[in-house]
Amino acid sequence: MIIMPVKEGENIEKALKKFKRKYERTGVLKELRSRQHFTKPSVKGRVQKLHAIYVENMRRNEEQ
């Protein structure tokens, strides 16, 4: 459960923005979406490898 202390006289929009940021960082929504369907472990590993290759290529291109 996320607890957001709101100070006296604090703008509600600012407090809501802080809450949304904190909620996003917990990864609840990301986990919920991933649990909607089953992904085989072999497929997960393949996707992670492809992503790692992509990121490495991007870093190499930045250095050049």
Side-chain angles (χ1 to χ4, degrees), residues 42-56:
S42 60
V43 173
K44 281 184 186 176
R46 191 179 323 132
V47 169
Q48 286 178 344
K49 278 184 185 179
L50 289 173
H51 181 68
I53 291 169
Y54 172 76
V55 169
E56 186 62 32

Side-chain angles (χ1 to χ4, degrees), residues 9-52:
E10 186 176 10
N11 191 357
I12 190 72
E13 284 85 22
K14 191 173 182 179
L16 187 60
K17 191 174 184 179
K18 283 168 52 176
F19 172 77
K20 285 181 181 180
R21 219 177 307 131
K22 199 170 194 179
Y23 180 76
E24 186 71 30
R25 286 185 190 146
T26 60
V28 173
L29 197 58
K30 195 173 192 178
E31 184 179 338
L32 181 68
R33 287 185 180 142
S34 70
R35 287 177 180 238
Q36 286 181 346
H37 62 279
F38 178 75
T39 306
K40 291 174 25 179
S42 60
V43 173
K44 281 184 186 176
R46 191 179 323 132
V47 169
Q48 286 178 344
K49 278 184 185 179
L50 289 173
H51 181 68

